[in-house]
Amino acid sequence: MVSGPIFTARSTGVCRLNWCSMAESQNELPRHIVIVPDGNRRWAKSRGLPAFIGHERGAATAEKIFDHALKLGIQNLTFWGSSYDNVTKRSSEEVEFLFKLFGSYFAKLLEDKERILEKNHIRVRVLGRWRETFPESVRSVIEDIIRKTGSYTERNFTLLMAYSGVDEMTAAVAAVADDARKNGTLMVTPETVKRALWTRDLPPVDLVIRTGGEPHWSSGLLMWDVADAELYFTEMLWPDFSPEEFNKALAYYTGRERRRGA
């Protein structure tokens, strides 16, 4: 049983941050949170630093927020790691650094596997076109951690790498069309589409947190799964994002009346 600052419901429409047991308020937590960590390069530029310093600080922030979300009991956490354009259209120097950063991040996660992933039964997923764009040294580490955590079922930690929502939806449509050719009685339903998505084993997104003060959608981020999500935008650049700001996003979520289009 994990105890910590958990957000509880409100009859007045205002959410309170209380110290209580996970069992008492688990139903108030978003089941699936997606984080778009924008602003690494702008953070570095504003300080007269090279972009790679911003990426390094951003990776450190990601580790901190991952640990915080774990303590709060978030069951499904998804991070936007990079878009397809990030690793195919930026300068070769920046892309090479990103690959090194990704490799060291996954290697560290793998080293900590028994302490964090195995202890908490966290399955790691990596979605996107990373297999065709990342160097073999990084791919092998990612494949290793995916394989070693594949049997865990309690929590999911998903990273979007060389990801494009257009790619995901295109692949899903192609898969459904292929199934329809094989099975002439196939009915296309929301369930049919969901089973064809890369996120087929993940629940719909409840909350999207985007940093950086630019509230736009990135490369069709999880277009199907965010249909009923609450959106939280903050001016804070990602390297400055903190557990306290994460808590504010949760307070925003619990303070919303989720109508799901009704």
Side-chain angles (χ1 to χ4, degrees), residues 16-128:
R16 303 186 309 277
L17 179 60
N18 291 334
W19 289 91
C20 60
S21 70
M22 187 65 64
E24 291 172 336
S25 58
Q26 181 71 39
N27 62 331
E28 293 298 333
L29 290 170
R31 188 179 178 199
H32 186 182
I33 297 177
V34 173
I35 297 178
V36 183
D38 196 20
N40 288 344
R41 295 196 297 176
R42 282 180 287 147
W43 182 91
K45 184 178 180 180
S46 68
R47 290 162 173 76
L49 300 171
F52 76 86
I53 298 295
H55 292 313
E56 282 185 337
R57 283 291 298 267
T61 298
E63 291 185 37
K64 181 169 56 179
I65 297 304
F66 171 77
D67 289 342
H68 184 65
L70 181 62
K71 291 175 183 176
L72 290 179
I74 302 301
Q75 291 181 320
N76 299 278
L77 183 66
T78 297
F79 264 91
W80 178 285
S82 63
S83 69
Y84 181 74
D85 285 351
N86 288 159
V87 297
T88 58
K89 295 184 177 180
R90 291 187 178 178
S91 69
S92 58
E93 293 80 8
E94 184 174 358
V95 172
E96 183 178 351
F97 179 80
L98 285 174
F99 286 153
K100 290 180 179 178
L101 190 63
F102 294 156
S104 62
Y105 179 84
F106 280 105
K108 183 176 181 180
L109 196 60
L110 189 60
E111 290 173 4
D112 289 344
K113 173 181 170 293
E114 292 186 2
R115 182 175 66 87
I116 297 177
L117 303 179
E118 185 174 315
K119 180 180 178 180
N120 294 280
H121 296 94
I122 301 171
R123 180 179 179 180
V124 177
R125 286 180 170 86
V126 184
L127 307 179

Side-chain angles (χ1 to χ4, degrees), residues 82 87 95-108 110 126 129-147 159 161-162:
S82 63
V87 297
V95 172
E96 183 178 351
F97 179 80
L98 285 174
F99 286 153
K100 290 180 179 178
L101 190 63
F102 294 156
S104 62
Y105 179 84
F106 280 105
K108 183 176 181 180
L110 189 60
V126 184
R129 295 167 66 180
W130 56 274
R131 285 187 173 91
E132 62 187 80
T133 55
F134 283 21
E136 193 280 330
S137 59
V138 182
R139 294 198 308 270
S140 63
V141 177
I142 295 176
E143 295 283 12
D144 201 14
I145 200 166
I146 289 174
R147 183 176 63 256
L159 293 110
M161 291 291 190

